[in-house]
């Protein structure tokens, strides 16, 4: 079974960046293929990875429901969906991507989601790692359209509002009884350069009160910001970029704790 890492947090705190850097670093480890799942309805993980998405799973789900009565003879709904799901998978070197797309409308999606879940379970067995970029509501995890997680990284920039969001996500994961083996907070300094010692202690105190352990810090990285402003993919970030090095250190710490190399 693939080792699954989910990334969550308030909008704009750096979830997609962290998920993208993790995915890229996992590919570089050459231990096996990596599947990335964009579970944010504002699909943009592919841009960060420099890939194109032709169709999201949400679009396929709607299309299947629309066409269900007019399928060609001999083609079952399951076959139609499974074929469509294969088309949704964006394949690239060592890394494949699935975009979940928009959430569900007012129709009954149970039958479609059932096939979806089965496909996702089968699919994830082909990968060594799965990296899931969530939106703050954890919708796909709660609907079980994606499987449980070995690890949930909740990203925060240290501001009270994003730490409150981190707490809410942590509580939501409990309420929904999500299968998550470990959870950590990642402190991404994207909104501040240097902090005074008292300022740092203040934020560390706030982080401690969330009840989440901080697994590492990511410095504000001007090169990363320019890259993103200009619309370039993360792979163009220099190997020595401070944010990339920080995410690498976090990943190594996590995998070491898991008994990996
Ligand atoms: N450590 C960092 N230093 C500088 N810019 C960052 C950092 N982390 C994220 N960013 C930038 O902040 C913006 C929001 O990040 P993003 O990953 O899209 O957030 P989210 O997915 O949580 O909405 C992007 O432009 C990204 O490049
Ligand atoms: Mg994002």
């Amino acid at each position: 079974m693939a080792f699954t890492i989910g990334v969550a947090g308030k909008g704009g705190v750096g979830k997609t960046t962290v998920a993208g850097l993790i995915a890229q670093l996992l590919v570089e480890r050459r231990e096996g293929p990596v599947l990335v799942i964009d579970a944010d309805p504002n699909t943009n993980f592919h841009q960060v990875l420099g890939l194109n998405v032709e169709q999201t799973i949400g679009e396929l789900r709607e299309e299947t429901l629309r066409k269900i009565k007019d399928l060609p003879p001999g083609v079952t709904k399951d076959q139609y969906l499974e074929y469509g799901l294969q088309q949704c998978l964006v394949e690239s070197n060592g890394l494949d991507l699935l975009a979940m797309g928009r959430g569900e409308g007012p129709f009954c999606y149970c039958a479609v989601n059932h096939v979806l879940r089965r496909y996702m379970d089968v699919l994830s067995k082909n990968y060594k790692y799965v990296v899931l970029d969530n939106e703050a509501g954890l919708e796909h995890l709660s609907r079980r359209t994606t499987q449980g997680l070995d690890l949930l990284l909740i990203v925060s920039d240290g501001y009270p509002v994003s730490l409150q969001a981190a707490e809410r996500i942590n509580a939501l994961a409990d309420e929904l009884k999500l299968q998550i083996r470990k959870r950590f907070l990642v402190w991404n300094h994207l909104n501040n350069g240097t902090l005074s010692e008292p300022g740092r202690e203040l934020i560390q105190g706030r982080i401690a009160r969330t009840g989440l352990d901080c697994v590492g810090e990511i410095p504000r990285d001007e090169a990363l910001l320019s890259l993103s402003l200009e619309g370039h993919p993360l792979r163009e970030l220099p190997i020595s970029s401070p944010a990339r090095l920080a995410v690498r250190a976090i990943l190594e710490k996590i995998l070491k704790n898991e008994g990996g190399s």
Side-chain angles (χ1 to χ4, degrees):
M1 201 65 191
F3 185 85
T4 305
I5 304 174
V7 183
K10 185 186 165 294
V13 291
K15 295 183 292 297
T16 305
T17 306
V18 171
L21 286 171
I22 287 181
Q24 214 178 358
L25 291 160
L26 287 173
V27 171
E28 285 167 23
R29 291 170 72 96
R30 294 176 185 273
E31 288 172 24
V34 178
L35 174 67
V36 297
I37 300 178
D38 188 347
D40 191 328
N42 295 314
T43 310
N44 77 331
F45 206 170
H46 61 288
Q47 285 157 349
V48 164
L49 296 168
L51 300 172
N52 281 324
V53 169
E54 299 278 334
Q55 190 178 36
T56 67
I57 289 191
E59 287 160 357
L60 170 71
R61 192 161 41 200
E62 296 295 333
E63 185 190 282
T64 309
L65 285 176
R66 259 197 330 271
K67 293 192 176 160
I68 216 155
K69 292 195 191 72
D70 309 309
L71 294 181
V75 176
T76 65
K77 176 190 81 242
D78 286 19
Q79 284 168 335
Y80 182 82
L81 252 180
E82 277 185 31
Y83 176 76
L85 284 163
Q86 282 161 28
Q87 304 304 307
C88 286
L89 187 70
V90 181
E91 291 171 298
S92 81
N93 225 348
L95 180 147
D96 296 346
L97 165 78
L98 265 183
M100 302 303 287
R102 276 197 313 114
E104 299 176 1
F107 308 108
C108 176
Y109 293 84
C110 302
V112 177
N113 280 348
H114 179 70
V115 181
L116 196 56
R117 264 191 293 270
R118 204 179 55 211
Y119 176 81
M120 297 289 254
D121 284 346
V122 172
L123 184 75
S124 61
K125 291 199 175 77
N126 299 334
Y127 296 90
K128 169 87 176 164
Y129 295 101
V130 175
V131 181
L132 189 71
D133 182 17
N134 287 282
E135 38 75 64
L138 302 180
E139 180 186 328
H140 287 289
L141 284 173
S142 62
R143 285 183 191 274
R144 308 279 194 275
T145 25
T146 46
Q147 73 273 54
L149 301 175
D150 290 289
L151 185 77
L152 177 64
L153 297 178
I154 307 181
V155 184
S156 167
D157 57 5
Y159 280 72
V161 63
S162 87
L163 284 169
Q164 279 156 15
E167 271 183 77
R168 265 199 305 277
I169 290 167
N170 197 24
L172 185 67
D174 286 334
E175 270 168 42
L176 296 171
K177 297 191 173 62
L178 298 182
Q179 290 170 18
I180 302 174
R181 286 206 298 118
K182 280 188 191 156
R183 303 171 203 181
F184 292 109
L185 188 120
V186 172
W187 185 3
N188 184 10
H189 290 258
L190 86 156
N191 287 319
N192 62 272
T194 45
L195 274 174
S196 65
E197 205 40 49
R200 191 175 170 76
E201 281 170 16
L202 178 85
I203 299 175
Q204 277 171 333
R206 278 189 207 142
I207 291 177
R209 284 192 292 280
T210 64
L212 286 156
D213 281 339
C214 184
V215 70
E217 296 178 34
I218 305 170
R220 179 179 168 90
D221 187 331
E222 296 303 328
L224 174 60
L225 205 54
S226 320
L227 201 79
S228 141
L229 267 173
E230 291 162 20
H232 295 292
L234 279 176
R235 63 168 175 272
E236 291 180 22
L237 198 63
I239 288 180
S240 59
S241 128
R244 194 180 190 277
L245 289 176
V247 174
R248 197 172 79 178
I250 291 172
L251 186 65
E252 275 168 10
K253 194 165 160 185
I254 292 164
L255 295 180
K256 205 166 164 195
N257 286 343
E258 290 297 323
S261 50

